[in-house]
Amino acid sequence: MGRGKLRIYLGAAPGVGKTYAMLSEAHRRVERGTDCVVGFVEHHSRPRTEVMLHGLELIERRELEYRGSTFTEMDVDAILARRPAVALVDELAHTNVPGSRNTKRWQDVEELLQAGIDVVSTVNIQHLESLGDVVETITGVRQRETVPDEVARRADQIELVDMSPQALRRRMAHGNVYKPDKVDAALSNYFRPGNLTALRELALLWVADRVDEYLQEYRGEHNIRSTWQARERIVVGLTGGPEGRTLIRRAARLAEKGAGGEVLAVYIAASDGLTSASPKELAVQRTLVEGLGGTFHHVIGDSIPDALLEFARGCNATQIVLGVSRRRSWQSVFSPGVSATVARESGPDLDVHIVTHDEAAKGRGLPVARGARLGRSRIIWGWLTGIAGPALLTVVLSQLVPELGLANDMLLFLTFTVAAALLGGLLPALASAAFGSLLLNYYFTPPLHEFTISDPKNIVAIAIFVGVAVSVASVVDLAARRTHQAARLRAESEILSFLAGSVLRGENSLDALLERLRETFAMQSVVLLERSSEVDPWTTAASVGTSPVGRPEDADVDLPIGDNMALALTGRVLPAEDRRVLGAFAAQAAVVLDRQRLVDEAEKSRELAEANRIRTALLAAVSHDLRTPLAGIKASVSSLRSDDVEWSEDDRADLLEGIEDGADRLAALIGNLLDMSRLNTGTVVPLIRETDLDEVVPMALGGVPEDSVDLDIPETLPMVAVDRGLLERAVANIVENAVKYSPDGQPVHVSASALASRVELRVVDRGPGVPDEAKNRIFEPFQRHGDAPRGAGVGLGLAVARGFTEAIGGTLTAEDTPGGGLTMVITLPIAGDGPPVSPELPASAVT
């Protein structure tokens, strides 16, 4: 029996209607006669969704006992025994109650698929594993229930269920998603317009990428090489010259004209010698294209037009942007240039834009990629010119103008010899001179059609011709080689200048340096190896590229750096003349590595200096804030022990109360000092256990007056995974700080609510509040906001509270209270092995 097919309804956000869409699909299939059952569907008391269950066969859920409560989960065994054609399974990312057949529901679905049962399921975009960090950044909530992206990508069909943020918020306001008492909290927290818009964009982009994968697979399976213009992809061909910035910006403007346009900048490097681009300019262009939302690609190929077209068709590009050639006009005689070649061979499926720029026709300011070596095509043209040219000239002169004269004939033959030297170098020119002299002797020197010369003057003339031809060819070839050598030296000087500039700029990115090295020499991989001594194994300090080696002897090129460090390159063997530039890169890599380590040591030194600063501030604070309550205690004790004054009972009670208040202040101060010391030394080791907030928070309010706090902690909240002692201490510090700044008659409000996989504890006061620029500073040690009196403490309470909160895996932030005041928000993780809960609004939002 074959594997079943999986269809997923992907929701852009909770409440968009993915479960409703799944049930509608089930009704359509049942009407067509398909055997369809409901394995698990959660309607969340939504009337319209609940109505859609009518008429569908429901598989009874399995009941499980967990911690004294009964929960229901999908009965996989019952579905396998029933063996329907299609099973509906809601909430693919759901975590099953402990004791279930599998840990995650997507594993249950996998079993059904293996049994040949088709499955229709649902999942929200925020539950995809790869998007967890992004969703947390957007919503402030980390999704605990996730499904691996690979599970979703293996689905045979994915349908996006989308809705505009405004429409979804209207649905919620009408009570179609949550109960009326939960709507306000949902709209002001998770379902803010910005959150919904960002989640919607994530869903659209993810589905678009999945569609691209389907399209690429189909094109590959059917060997389709032509471009399908389903989406605007613009390839920018870069040479490494300054005109590249103009081309990138032009391509970005073209991409903006169409929705979903994509820019891909590609640099084609030759497969031998130094590349014909400035690494510094390429780095600038890479940064520019990435800043504009595009991608940068490095491709190695012998033929630039062929490699560029192959890349464009491989990524299903629709347009290519190239610059007008920087070559001189006369250079087009030997080759039409990359732009013209690409435009001619692009075909009807690729639009080629030739963009003008300031560098057009000014000559190639960059060195030739092949160094002192001529390309194969130039050598071939040199031999053709040197051999075929004189032969063709002989036919023309002997048939059309036989009486032109030997001197003129030799000058014409000399022209082809010089052309052969310019194109192919010395050997084609020498061959052209020898061949031309034989043709002159045989066809134009009496006696004709014989390799003899009767007139001695003609012998001298032909000898002079050969001499001049050889001399001119030698000079031309030498000049060409000197030009190539100068170009190579220029390339080396640019690279060395770049390396020197990076030292002065203090650049510390070792990976970026090795990547530039790899691109400069067109290598497959570059790795920096080091070892502690000659007998120790090599370790990788940094590497770029694919398949880096682990030992210098395994590389195509290795360069020692000192005694215990080496640079290893794979891809091809470099000529000896490249070693000088390679040595400069190696030396710079060693310097950057040392600089990185020095930076790390400096960071450690900074941390030590910060610890010293805290100790200094601690001494300064203790000098006053410890002595003040001690002075009050001593004065009260001395008064009580005095025999000169007869104290009344009320007076004695006041003095004893003063002693108690001073002792409490000392205890709180010393506790905070000890806690801060533990945080700074890293000795806080939390004992994480499942805890109910309604047990911890009331214990933390013992240090404040009873009527100063309004407590609202629902008993239905899920358990959180925290250290009870640290959480109690953090809450106590926050509440005491809020009570201190709250006006008389305005109690501090402490409430809690569930939000997805987190619980939020809010401490709200109606005090003077804190400006935005100071919201982070109030959590630093020894910081007291505004004009707080010296007796208000040393400024450690909130610092300790944040330290303890982060130690138990939570966060502590400050927000403005609507209407004035400050709200402290503690976010805590729900116990990981606990069952899913839905009594609170945000908890149901995860569905």
Side-chain angles (χ1 to χ4, degrees):
M1 180 176 294
R3 176 183 170 87
K5 294 184 178 181
L6 174 62
R7 177 170 183 167
I8 293 178
Y9 284 91
L10 179 67
V16 295
K18 62 186 183 302
T19 302
Y20 189 94
M22 179 182 67
L23 294 174
S24 299
E25 173 65 19
H27 281 285
R28 286 192 293 270
R29 297 195 182 198
V30 170
E31 291 173 359
R32 295 196 299 265
T34 304
D35 184 13
C36 183
V37 302
V38 176
F40 187 98
V41 169
E42 186 62 65
H43 55 73
H44 297 294
S45 300
R46 297 168 186 169
R48 297 187 180 184
T49 305
E50 190 173 1
V51 168
M52 293 297 293
L53 288 170
H54 297 168
L56 298 176
E57 179 183 349
L58 274 68
I59 302 295
E60 289 293 329
R61 300 184 185 182
R62 180 185 178 189
E63 294 187 353
L64 295 170
E65 295 290 335
Y66 183 72
R67 291 181 177 173
S69 300
T70 301
F71 299 91
T72 60
E73 291 288 0
M74 182 175 69
D75 194 339
V76 180
D77 293 326
I79 298 176
L80 292 175
R82 169 67 172 75
R83 299 198 65 82
V86 180
L88 306 184
V89 182
D90 204 4
E91 301 177 3
L92 188 62
H94 171 76
T95 300
N96 294 329
V97 173
S100 300
R101 183 186 184 99
N102 296 299
T103 303
K104 303 288 290 188
R105 184 165 292 163
W106 66 263
Q107 296 171 327
D108 296 337
V109 169
E110 186 66 24
E111 285 197 39
L112 299 181
L113 295 174
Q114 291 292 344
I117 301 174
D118 294 345
V119 176
V120 182
S121 187
T122 64
V123 70
N124 280 331
I125 189 67
Q126 68 264 27
H127 294 298
L128 295 179
E129 181 67 38
S130 65
L131 300 178
D133 294 338
V134 180
V135 172
E136 183 179 13
T137 302
I138 295 170
T139 64
V141 178
R142 181 68 181 185
Q143 299 294 332
R144 293 292 181 181
E145 291 191 332
T146 59
V147 59
D149 284 47
E150 184 60 28
V151 174
R153 291 184 182 277
R154 286 201 306 263
D156 299 276
Q157 298 180 56
I158 297 178
E159 182 171 335
L160 177 65
V161 183
D162 186 24
M163 182 178 292
S164 68
Q166 295 78 10
L168 179 56
R169 286 171 62 85
R170 281 198 301 270
R171 286 194 61 193
M172 297 189 66
H174 294 159
N176 295 333
V177 180
Y178 297 121
K179 295 180 179 179
D181 59 332
K182 299 178 179 179
V183 171
D184 290 340
L187 292 176
S188 60
N189 288 282
Y190 193 88
F191 291 87
R192 292 191 292 266
N195 290 0
L196 296 178
T197 302
L199 292 173
R200 187 186 190 195
E201 183 179 12
L202 280 179
L204 291 171
L205 292 175
W206 194 91
V207 173
D209 289 340
R210 186 68 183 111
V211 171
D212 279 344
E213 292 178 11
Y214 279 133
L215 183 59
Q216 294 296 342
E217 291 175 4
Y218 181 85
R219 285 164 52 84
E221 291 172 357
H222 294 77
N223 197 26
I224 299 174
R225 301 298 299 164
S226 61
T227 299
W228 286 5
Q229 299 183 3
R231 180 181 180 183
E232 289 294 338
R233 284 191 177 87
I234 304 174
V235 172
V236 185
L238 302 179
T239 64
E243 78 282 358
R245 307 180 198 183
T246 302
L247 303 183
I248 292 172
R249 294 188 181 98
R250 177 59 174 164
R253 291 196 297 271
L254 289 173
E256 290 175 355
K257 294 180 179 179
E262 185 179 358
V263 176
L264 301 90
V266 58
Y267 171 69
I268 310 294
S271 59
D272 60 342
L274 293 171
T275 62
S276 59
S278 166
K280 180 180 179 180
E281 183 61 32
L282 278 180
V284 172
Q285 294 175 13
R286 179 196 295 268
T287 303
L288 176 61
V289 70
E290 291 176 351
L292 292 173
T295 56
F296 184 91
H297 304 269
H298 185 96
V299 177
I300 298 175
D302 289 327
S303 173
I304 294 179
D306 292 344
L308 183 60
L309 289 170
E310 183 71 18
F311 175 84
R313 293 191 174 104
C315 66
N316 200 27
T318 58
Q319 303 179 54
I320 298 178
V321 175
L322 299 172
V324 174
S325 177
R326 289 183 286 117
R327 302 185 310 162
R328 303 291 186 183
S329 301
W330 59 269
Q331 290 179 292
S332 60
V333 175
F334 304 105
S335 173
V338 173
S339 301
T341 304
V342 171
R344 184 181 67 247
E345 299 180 2
S346 61
D349 54 344
L350 273 173
D351 296 334
V352 180
H353 301 265
I354 308 297
V355 179
T356 58
H357 51 82
D358 294 337
E359 304 296 324
K362 291 185 178 180
R364 297 184 62 87
L366 297 172
V368 178
R370 300 177 183 271
R373 295 179 295 277
L374 298 174
R376 179 181 299 178
S377 60
R378 287 192 58 181
I379 294 176
I380 293 175
W381 277 105
W383 281 100
L384 288 176
T385 303
I387 301 300
L392 182 62
L393 180 62
T394 299
V395 174
V396 172
L397 293 179
S398 60
Q399 298 296 327
L400 300 180
V401 283
E403 303 299 331
L404 190 60
L406 182 60
N408 292 326
D409 293 338
M410 287 192 294
L411 290 176
L412 292 174
F413 274 91
L414 184 61
T415 302
F416 282 98
T417 301
V418 173
L422 289 172
L423 289 174
L426 183 60
L427 289 180
L430 294 179
S432 177
F435 185 54
S437 64
L438 292 177
L439 293 178
L440 285 170
N441 183 6
Y442 191 79
Y443 287 101
F444 302 103
T445 304
L448 301 179
H449 308 298
E450 295 182 12
F451 288 105
T452 58
I453 302 175
S454 59
D455 189 348
K457 295 181 180 180
N458 292 335
I459 297 177
V460 175
I462 292 179
I464 292 174
F465 165 78
V466 173
V468 170
V470 171
S471 300
V472 170
S474 299
V475 171
V476 171
D477 179 73
L478 180 62
R481 291 184 180 276
R482 290 291 182 265
T483 301
H484 291 310
Q485 291 173 4
R488 181 181 185 82
L489 292 175
R490 179 178 177 180
E492 292 183 2
S493 65
E494 286 184 355
I495 294 172
L496 295 175
S497 174
F498 165 75
L499 292 176
S502 66
V503 174
L504 296 176
R505 290 188 298 269
E507 295 181 356
N508 295 324
S509 178
L510 184 57
D511 290 340
L513 178 67
L514 296 183
E515 179 63 24
R516 292 191 182 99
L517 170 60
R518 189 187 70 81
E519 293 181 355
T520 297
F521 290 99
M523 302 300 288
Q524 180 180 353
S525 68
V526 179
V527 58
L528 183 63
L529 302 170
E530 63 176 348
R531 59 184 177 181
S532 301
S533 64
E534 294 183 357
V535 297
D536 292 327
W538 291 98
T539 59
T540 300
S543 65
V544 295
T546 58
S547 303
V549 297
R551 300 183 305 169
E553 50 266 29
D554 297 334
D556 295 319
V557 180
D558 68 281
L559 186 68
I561 310 173
D563 296 331
N564 299 314
M565 190 177 293
L567 195 65
L569 299 85
T570 58
R572 62 187 179 86
V573 178
L574 293 179
E577 56 266 25
D578 288 342
R579 292 275 178 165
R580 178 170 51 189
V581 177
L582 185 59
F585 269 107
Q588 177 66 5
V591 170
V592 171
L593 181 61
D594 290 340
R595 185 183 296 137
Q596 285 182 349
R597 290 172 176 171
L598 289 174
V599 169
D600 293 339
E601 293 179 2
E603 179 64 21
K604 294 179 181 178
S605 299
R606 188 195 64 78
E607 293 176 357
L608 291 175
E610 179 66 15
N612 289 331
R613 185 191 68 81
I614 292 178
R615 280 193 289 270
T616 302
L618 175 62
L619 292 175
V622 167
S623 65
H624 181 278
D625 293 279
L626 276 180
R627 287 188 295 183
T628 299
L630 281 175
I633 293 173
K634 182 173 178 58
S636 297
V637 171
S638 299
S639 298
L640 287 174
R641 295 189 62 187
S642 175
D643 298 331
D644 299 337
V645 180
E646 185 67 28
W647 302 102
S648 66
E649 290 299 324
D650 292 340
D651 293 335
R652 295 176 65 86
D654 291 340
L655 291 174
L656 290 174
E657 184 180 358
I659 294 173
E660 184 178 10
D661 291 342
D664 290 341
R665 289 178 57 189
L666 280 177
L669 178 59
I670 293 174
N672 281 332
L673 291 174
L674 292 176
D675 291 339
M676 200 67 217
S677 177
R678 292 169 59 201
L679 289 172
N680 288 331
T681 56
T683 58
V684 176
V685 181
L687 180 60
I688 304 298
R689 293 180 178 176
E690 294 183 357
T691 305
D692 285 321
L693 279 183
D694 57 355
E695 297 178 359
V696 177
V697 176
M699 299 294 294
L701 306 182
V704 297
E706 294 183 2
D707 58 350
S708 62
V709 177
D710 180 14
L711 189 61
D712 180 18
I713 306 294
E715 295 181 357
T716 56
L717 281 178
M719 301 182 75
V720 293
V722 297
D723 183 303
R724 294 190 57 170
L726 297 182
L727 177 60
E728 180 181 334
R729 193 59 179 274
V731 174
N733 284 358
I734 295 172
V735 172
E736 289 176 6
N737 186 77
V739 170
K740 182 190 306 180
Y741 288 98
S742 292
D744 295 337
Q746 292 285 341
V748 173
H749 183 68
V750 180
S751 62
S753 61
L755 177 62
S757 58
R758 296 255 175 178
V759 170
E760 283 191 354
L761 180 65
R762 293 177 170 265
V763 180
V764 183
D765 68 60
R766 294 293 180 179
V770 176
D772 292 339
E773 62 272 11
K775 281 188 173 62
N776 284 327
R777 193 166 62 248
I778 61 176
F779 294 105
E780 297 178 2
F782 307 107
Q783 296 292 326
R784 290 179 294 188
H785 178 63
D787 55 353
R790 292 291 298 176
V794 294
L796 286 178
L798 293 182
V800 170
R802 170 171 277 190
F804 282 173
T805 304
E806 293 176 350
I808 60 178
T811 60
L812 173 59
T813 56
E815 300 177 356
D816 290 330
T817 301
L822 188 67
T823 299
M824 292 291 182
V825 182
I826 301 179
T827 306
L828 302 171
I830 293 176
D833 59 348
V837 282
S838 58
E840 286 300 310
L841 164 68
S844 62
V846 301
T847 63

